[in-house]
Amino acid sequence: MKPTSSLLAATLACLFALSPARAEGPYRNPDNKNPNDISEGTYPVPYKMPTVAEITGTLQKVRGYMDSVTPTRIINKKTGEPITDLNTPVADAIFEPSKGDFGIQVYEMGLVHSGLLRAAEATGDRGFTAMTERHFNFFKATKPYFTAQEKQFKLERANSFSRFLDPRSLDDSGSMCAALMRARAAKVGPDLSDMIATCSDWVANKQFRLKDGTLARKRPQAVSLWGDDLYMGVPALAEMGRMTGKRAYYDDAVNNVLNMSSYLFNPQVNLYTHGWHAGMKDAPNFYWSRANGWAVLAMSDVLDVLPKDHPGYPKVLAQLRLSLKGIAERQSGSGLWHQMIDRNDSYLETSASAIFTYVIAHAVNQGWISPAPYGSIAQAGWAGLQTKVTEPGEVEGICVGTTLAGDQVYYYNRPTSKHALHGYGPMLLAGAEMIKLVTNPKLDIQYRVRTYHYLPKGGETDYREHH
């Protein structure tokens, strides 16, 4: 159940001191110790080397906020009263709603759990996975109740457990399925093999596909591809490969990366358009940032578990490198990326920026891309991201849920909200990977000529001309 409010408040109060201040810029880089240096600029974000303590403080705030706004109990939706009798189902029983509608089984929450697992790994603090254990233990305890409720009352989508009793889409299944398998591998939480079986069966066997096996949807056209589905389906397939050892799951994951890229990736600009519709050969491209984020996050997740001797490994890696090049070239002067990644007059958006920062930092740490210049690109991304976390741990500037649309006006004017869950998991991922980046023993991070250079350890440089 939820931690007590007094304990949570005391914990957060201690951690706030470790987090960077959110005072408005302009900022001067404190790593330049010469206050009279007329060549030192000012920045709209804290352009500096982040410390592990600062990053951890930010992660703790986000974790604490998530923990405080995601209750795990059953209530009567009409009276609001708690239901504790799990032997006799009633039709009005539901999961207690979360603040901001942060549903505890939605795909975005799967990404939150994946971020918490990464944060625990990066910090060594198992407290990061306490919320994951709480949620998953709740699933274990309440699934029989909601199964019985459905059998008796036939509520369908009004049943709080419907995503795992009757999945109908990749959104219902893939992201949370991958998180369940990652928690299982990390030995976090109870045995949820029954839930894994349901969600993985949907992704692998029941989701609508093209004839070539590409995961597809029947909306908004009769046959459509969504860039989002690279993440909604592919990592779950890869995790099934890791969990079962069956090569067919790896093959399916790789084929979907390559097939989806052949439909959606524009090699002239190294970006993904948001979607594709069968039979439309003259459709314009809309380069929505979060769709590009889903694509590179999916490829990163696949490479994490795909055997290196799999014939698809170098192909996925090559596609990731091309995508990150296109993304990196479009980073703004604040470290963040725009809602429409190729349109500088669209607003700066947090969730995609956090995904990009995570994947770039992770790719550097894994040796998939060069530390220079990508290390400093990730560092600059984090500089922008940390300004989006409020003192209570809310994440601001997140684009709300967005469908596959056919005009720029829609994309430009999607609202942002701190109650959009899409940015919380990516923020946790980004911070966790930044801790690994700034402590990477294979890197020498040099502050020279008022900026940062990420070098392989042992690389020789010569700055005598600047002395």
Side-chain angles (χ1 to χ4, degrees):
M1 300 301 170
K2 289 192 297 184
T4 63
S5 58
S6 59
L7 176 59
L8 178 64
T11 302
L12 292 180
C14 294
L15 292 168
F16 288 159
L18 296 176
S19 300
R22 298 183 73 252
E24 297 294 328
Y27 299 89
R28 187 180 186 280
N29 189 343
D31 292 332
N32 185 343
K33 305 305 181 185
N34 179 3
N36 300 315
D37 184 356
I38 62 172
S39 295
E40 178 61 71
T42 56
Y43 303 91
V45 293
Y47 185 69
K48 62 183 283 291
M49 176 58 63
T51 68
V52 170
E54 289 171 343
I55 301 170
T56 302
T58 298
L59 291 175
Q60 290 282 16
K61 286 198 294 185
V62 175
R63 183 214 64 80
Y65 178 70
M66 282 283 92
D67 206 21
S68 72
V69 297
T70 55
T72 44
R73 66 174 185 165
I74 303 172
I75 65 167
N76 185 302
K77 66 180 180 182
K78 290 182 178 178
T79 67
E81 292 299 312
I83 292 175
T84 57
D85 177 7
L86 298 186
N87 295 312
T88 308
V90 296
D92 293 326
I94 59 170
F95 291 166
E96 182 178 358
S98 303
K99 180 180 179 181
D101 196 28
F102 294 155
I104 61 174
Q105 285 190 352
V106 298
Y107 75 82
E108 303 97 319
M109 193 62 76
L111 192 52
V112 168
H113 290 302
S114 294
L116 291 169
L117 290 166
R118 291 280 187 177
E121 178 189 1
T123 63
D125 180 2
R126 293 280 291 188
F128 274 103
T129 56
M131 187 187 102
T132 299
E133 292 189 7
R134 176 168 64 84
H135 283 205
F136 289 5
N137 280 320
F138 181 69
F139 297 162
K140 182 78 171 179
T142 61
K143 184 185 176 187
Y145 179 87
F146 286 102
T147 300
Q149 183 198 56
E150 185 60 26
K151 183 177 180 180
Q152 182 173 346
F153 299 107
K154 309 292 191 233
L155 300 176
E156 295 194 4
R157 303 314 273 180
N159 186 304
S160 289
F161 228 103
S162 62
R163 285 178 173 84
F164 284 90
L165 299 179
D166 178 27
R168 299 181 181 181
S169 69
L170 289 175
D171 289 4
D172 284 349
S173 346
S175 174
M176 185 62 77
C177 200
L180 292 174
M181 286 184 275
R182 289 166 185 155
R184 178 191 181 104
K187 295 180 170 52
V188 172
D191 177 11
L192 295 176
S193 55
D194 56 334
M195 292 179 65
I196 292 172
T198 298
C199 60
S200 63
D201 181 55
W202 179 271
V203 176
N205 303 313
K206 295 180 179 178
Q207 174 65 30
F208 174 65
R209 297 184 182 224
L210 304 185
K211 290 181 180 180
D212 62 8
T214 307
L215 297 165
R217 303 195 193 198
K218 296 181 180 180
R219 64 180 179 92
Q221 301 297 323
V223 180
S224 297
L225 297 184
W226 295 48
D228 315 50
D229 290 341
L230 270 164
Y231 185 75
M232 302 305 152
V234 171
L237 292 170
E239 290 292 341
M240 280 299 293
R242 176 167 73 156
M243 189 179 80
T244 67
K246 294 181 179 179
R247 187 184 182 91
Y249 290 114
Y250 289 133
D251 294 344
D252 198 2
V254 168
N255 289 339
N256 265 279
V257 168
L258 301 180
N259 287 351
M260 196 81 78
S261 297
S262 72
Y263 289 105
L264 301 178
F265 187 73
N266 183 349
Q268 294 180 329
V269 294
N270 289 332
L271 295 174
Y272 284 85
T273 187
H274 189 187
W276 171 93
H277 309 296
M280 294 186 186
K281 298 180 179 179
D282 57 349
N285 291 326
F286 299 102
Y287 301 111
W288 182 44
S289 270
R290 196 155 69 216
N292 281 269
W294 294 137
V296 295
L297 182 56
M299 287 184 276
S300 176
D301 284 355
V302 168
L303 290 172
D304 278 341
V305 299
L306 187 66
K308 289 185 171 55
D309 62 356
H310 190 285
Y313 188 96
K315 297 176 183 179
V316 175
L317 179 56
Q319 182 61 42
L320 177 62
R321 286 170 172 163
L322 285 175
S323 304
L324 292 182
K325 183 175 186 294
I327 288 166
E329 289 172 349
R330 291 166 175 83
Q331 187 176 35
S332 79
S334 71
L336 303 176
W337 280 263
H338 291 273
Q339 160 78 345
M340 304 307 290
I341 192 170
D342 63 327
R343 301 291 187 99
N344 290 347
D345 61 338
S346 64
Y347 63 82
L348 295 169
E349 199 279 325
T350 303
S351 67
S353 298
I355 296 174
F356 297 154
T357 299
Y358 164 72
V359 176
I360 291 171
H362 188 61
V364 171
N365 285 330
Q366 294 297 312
W368 298 335
I369 56 177
S370 170
Y374 285 100
S376 57
I377 291 168
Q379 180 183 321
W382 181 253
L385 288 172
Q386 66 178 351
T387 67
K388 297 299 182 180
V389 179
T390 69
E391 285 304 310
E394 303 155 311
V395 179
E396 298 177 325
I398 305 168
C399 176
V400 299
T402 296
T403 195
L404 172 53
D407 62 87
Q408 292 279 14
V409 174
Y410 170 81
Y411 287 107
Y412 266 67
N413 294 285
R414 296 304 292 140
T416 65
S417 173
K418 63 187 179 184
H419 297 304
L421 188 53
H422 311 72
Y424 286 83
M427 186 67 75
L428 290 164
L429 286 170
E433 203 63 34
M434 284 303 302
I435 290 175
K436 293 184 177 181
L437 183 65
V438 300
T439 59
N440 189 327
K442 296 181 179 180
L443 298 180
D444 179 17
I445 306 174
Q446 297 184 359
Y447 176 67
R448 302 277 191 174
V449 198
R450 306 169 193 87
T451 189
Y452 302 90
H453 305 275
Y454 285 66
L455 290 79
K457 188 74 75 175
E460 295 185 6
T461 59
D462 186 351
Y463 281 83
R464 289 184 64 199
E465 64 186 276
H466 285 282
H467 294 287

